[in-house]
Amino acid sequence: MRALAIALAWLTTLSFGGVAQDDALSRYALDVALDPAARTLSGALRLDYVNDTGQALESVPFLLLANLGSAPNPHLHPALLDAAYPEGFDPSWTVIHAARDENGQPLDFAYEPMPPMIQTFSLDEAVLRVTLPRPLAPGARARIALEFETHFPHSTNIDATFYRDTFTWRFGWHPIALGPGFFDDGRLQLRAAWHEATVQLPPGYVLAAGADRQTVLADGQGGQTVALASDAHTRSIPLAISPHFQVHTLRHAAVPIEVYYLPGHAAHARLAASLAASQIDYFEERFGPFAYRRLTLVDNPGSQLYCMAAEGMVLVGTDNFRFKDLLIPGLADRLLEWLLAHEVGHLWWGIGVGADFNAENWLSEGLAQYLSLRYFEDAYGAFGPNLLGHLGPGLLERLVQDEFGYLNLRQHQVEVGYLDVFKNRFDEAIVRRAEDVEYGNATVSRTYNKGYLVARALEGLVGREALEGALRALHAERV
């Protein structure tokens, strides 16, 4: 019991970014329109802002995440940049056209640099500071209206991008009010808030969103107007918009799963939906109820073999579908299943409870890695050749088995990656601000793989059942 108490105390000292117990949260109401020709999403943000900083405020800072992409990465070789930008570097940006108070009166605003987080370049206009008409006392509310415009860059990435007629953005397509600790302690946390949005779409476009409720308000020759809202506090409204989306819906228990897929991927969409359903059941039983009314999976045209999660949404890089059956039907089925489990796990950890993405991102990635490996190994065993063990007896299957049949997911996809970092002396502390990281090339392995090993060490310290109960309790407290 003492070991469990130590582990719980250590976990609760870290910055999960939970919800205030009195539920005094800010409220975002957005009204935006997509312009495919200009590749912009523009409109108005009306924010009912709650001062939870504990001190009087004369201004409110907002994070403009899109402006981190307004300049090319000076640390990368041009060949690497060209790989991500099919027509050369294309900036992302958010500009503010006006700021007003609750009476419609103009408010002064200015752009400011943000501290080094995530990166050390393109920081100059990443913060917007809006001056209030009068000081705002702790706990008091102020209404701020912003007129803004955000540009999608033409890029092969699967997030914050335009690619093959598809617009995708998980976090920060609109200004985000910053919380305490951002400037003083370098904490990058997305605070829970109430979110609702109205999105105007051109004719022929289909919207996929991470929201509990998606309602078509108008549908005609001028396009659709869609309303989005959630029944619980969230940290964003992720969007994906495309004229190519088709939809498969799996009515699973109380959580419908909607897959927005690209042409030719109907069978893959059905598989992904059934896998996600099994993962929701598994995680709910062990780590607490699913926090959303539906799950949205999006087949994203970005040519990447990975996935990403946001509030109630998982983006699946289309190469996971395109190459899943390369040479052999079902060759990468278990790899896809694991990748999906990691992202669905984020809806409990990292997205579900929040985290400091600057210094403590391992809480997001390491715990999602832990959940996904728990799921995978309970299904296929923890040892032996569990990654390709499902292949049949055909000639090509035997050739693959002869060359790669030994592969064990945890050992070869997770543990070996971290051991390589450790052997080459790129290892660093698991809790570290981005500006203090010495070996950026090892950051992914440090947060994902070392993060998983820390979680597994906690399991070894207190036992699987006790750690499962602790994570369930933390999730219930902080979601």
Side-chain angles (χ1 to χ4, degrees), residues 7 64 188 211 231 238 245 260 317 323 368 418 421 444 454:
L64 304 180
L188 180 57
D231 298 330
F245 282 153
Y260 291 75
F323 300 144
Y418 172 67
V421 166
V444 170
V454 169

Side-chain angles (χ1 to χ4, degrees), residues 266-281:
H268 305 322
R270 292 193 294 270
L271 172 63
S274 64
L275 292 174
S278 298
Q279 291 156 7
I280 289 173
D281 290 344

Side-chain angles (χ1 to χ4, degrees), residues 140-315:
R141 295 175 177 267
R143 289 183 172 84
I144 301 171
L146 300 175
E147 297 175 17
F148 71 96
E149 183 177 12
T150 295
H151 178 258
F152 291 73
H154 186 193
S155 168
T156 60
N157 294 323
I158 70 172
D159 185 29
T161 186
F162 163 82
Y163 188 58
R164 293 181 178 171
D165 303 322
T166 300
F167 298 84
T168 310
W169 211 303
R170 292 183 304 154
F171 306 106
W173 53 268
H174 60 80
I176 303 171
L178 285 166
F182 181 81
F183 294 102
D184 298 333
D185 302 325
R187 292 203 304 271
L188 180 57
Q189 293 177 297
L190 300 178
R191 293 188 298 171
W194 298 103
H195 289 87
E196 60 184 46
T198 301
V199 184
Q200 299 176 49
L201 304 172
Y205 279 81
V206 177
L207 169 66
D212 287 339
R213 287 174 283 116
Q214 180 170 329
T215 307
V216 176
L217 300 180
D219 190 1
Q221 292 185 347
Q224 276 192 351
T225 301
V226 181
L228 305 170
S230 289
D231 298 330
H233 9 73
T234 57
R235 291 167 176 83
S236 69
I237 302 182
L239 305 175
I241 306 169
S242 177
H244 305 304
F245 282 153
Q246 301 172 40
V247 185
H248 167 70
T249 301
L250 175 63
R251 301 290 178 185
H252 175 69
V255 183
I257 300 170
E258 297 180 1
V259 187
Y260 291 75
Y261 64 93
L262 299 172
H265 290 172
H268 305 322
R270 292 193 294 270
L271 172 63
S274 64
L275 292 174
S278 298
Q279 291 156 7
I280 289 173
D281 290 344
Y282 180 91
F283 294 144
E284 279 198 318
E285 180 181 350
R286 290 157 180 81
F287 304 106
F290 191 64
Y292 309 93
R293 300 287 187 186
R294 65 174 186 158
L295 173 62
T296 303
L297 305 180
V298 178
D299 181 6
N300 185 275
S303 53
Q304 308 289 346
L305 278 167
Y306 59 83
C307 307
M308 290 182 169
E311 295 280 3
M313 175 186 280
V314 173
L315 303 177

Side-chain angles (χ1 to χ4, degrees), residues 84-96:
Y85 296 97
E87 297 178 333
F89 175 75
D90 188 23
S92 64
W93 44 257
T94 293
V95 296
I96 307 300

Side-chain angles (χ1 to χ4, degrees), residues 38 124 150 296 309 311 336 355 357 374 434 448:
D124 290 347
T150 295
T296 303
E311 295 280 3
L336 172 64
F357 292 111
R374 279 275 309 274
Y448 285 70

Side-chain angles (χ1 to χ4, degrees), residues 458-473:
L458 283 174
E459 180 188 285
L461 178 65
V462 304
R464 176 168 171 167
E465 184 177 344
L467 181 61
E468 195 172 278
L471 292 176
R472 185 182 183 98

